[in-house]
Amino acid sequence: MRQFQSVNISEVGLGTWQLGSADWGNVSEESAFEILQKFVELGGNFIDTADVYGSGVSEQVIGKFLKTRSEELFVATKLGRRGDNGNGWPQNFSYDNIKRHVEDSLRNLQQEQLFLEQLHCIPTEELQKGEVFEHLRQLQAQELIRYWGVSVETAEEGLLCLEQDGIASLQIIFNLFRQHIAEELFAKAQEKGVALIVRVPLASGLLSGRFSANTTFAPTDHRNYNANGEAFNVGETFSGVAFEKGVEFAEKIAQLMPDERLAQWSIRWILDHPAVTTVIPGASKISQVVSNMEAAQLPSLNTTTHTALRALYDTEIKASIRGKY
């Protein structure tokens, strides 16, 4: 467990983009329940979702699941990327629309208060204006949300958000394909007492070691339709590295790890950074949940391995990252 403001949350959480049954392929409600059940059985208590994951499906499934549990579970959701009812950017960022989206998430999750509401990778200029933060503070004062944070695409955005009073968390892309952000953000976040939530820990599966250059994905899978940033920031898919290059890099990373458990060691590498509060790998099957949770039980990687992984990043990987970061 690691400290998130006034509570303890599991250092390995559960990302639930997959449970929206869109963008990753279909996951039935029964399978989603089994994934959530196994996660909780293994000691997990922090679940991350968003209102756009399956247009509310992920939140709704989680809401139904919560009603079957007696233990305290902490659910984080996100807003700002909906395009329904004639809304979108910039209409999403008015107080009235943000409040409506919060209320929709409350209904989907069947909760009276959201544990954590996060801005969902909204435009940098909206963060610079600062009005969205005041909207969240108002909703917090109304006790519709307990804490608020921001999911960001770039270190610049993260540093901007860290200047805001009341921010509880930053959600960032941080993995073996995106190492440099530690120097740019971590010390400041610790100084401010802001939790760091790490997404895309396995670079959309590249760091599972299961893919080859010939691997293909379904047309509805974002690893197909957003492989080069066609739909949204390319960093959300394979951490911005071209798929074929990513396969090569993953093979080189695997050779530096203690054994063949590449996915687990990749998560362990993230947890070796004390500034990280929780990492939120997704799962579309129970075996992935088990693997992700077991990563927290591994010993820390030694200094030699950390140094070698950073050298590989600096000399080969970093120059291959595309998109804004």
Side-chain angles (χ1 to χ4, degrees), residues 12 15 32 49 174 230 234 244 249 283 311 324:
V12 176
T49 186
F174 179 61
E230 297 92 334
V234 69
E244 294 79 6
F249 293 146
K324 58 177 188 174

Side-chain angles (χ1 to χ4, degrees), residues 27 47 84 96 127-128 131 147 170 189 197 291 320:
V27 177
I47 301 167
D84 55 314
D96 288 343
L127 298 175
Q128 292 169 335
E131 295 173 0
Y147 299 113
L170 270 184
I197 301 169
S291 174
S320 297

Side-chain angles (χ1 to χ4, degrees), residues 131-203:
E131 295 173 0
V132 286
F133 302 114
E134 186 55 37
H135 300 337
L136 291 173
R137 293 186 189 103
Q138 290 184 51
L139 296 170
Q140 187 177 39
Q142 296 171 39
E143 299 187 349
L144 294 178
I145 59 178
R146 183 171 175 182
Y147 299 113
W148 58 268
V150 189
S151 181
V152 298
E153 299 284 11
T154 70
E156 175 194 4
E157 291 171 348
L159 291 170
L160 190 159
C161 293
L162 286 173
E163 297 303 318
Q164 291 293 326
D165 291 337
I167 185 171
S169 65
L170 270 184
Q171 187 174 136
I172 57 172
I173 298 173
F174 179 61
N175 57 43
L176 285 160
F177 287 177
R178 196 69 77 89
Q179 298 184 33
H180 66 278
I181 200 169
E183 288 86 60
E184 299 179 356
L185 277 182
F186 284 18
K188 189 72 170 180
Q190 286 183 299
E191 175 191 332
K192 296 281 189 176
V194 174
L196 290 177
I197 301 169
V198 171
R199 72 180 186 275
V200 201
L202 298 180

Side-chain angles (χ1 to χ4, degrees), residues 1-2 9-13 39 41-44 259 261 263-269 271-272 279 289-301:
M1 294 289 176
R2 298 192 179 186
I9 64 171
S10 51
E11 57 186 354
V12 176
F39 171 69
E41 284 179 359
L42 295 175
D259 55 44
R261 294 175 290 179
Q264 292 176 318
W265 287 117
S266 296
I267 292 174
R268 179 67 257 176
W269 177 86
L271 294 174
D272 283 351
V279 56
V289 178
V290 174
S291 174
N292 295 339
M293 297 301 287
E294 287 179 348
Q297 308 306 316
L298 292 174
S300 295
L301 291 162

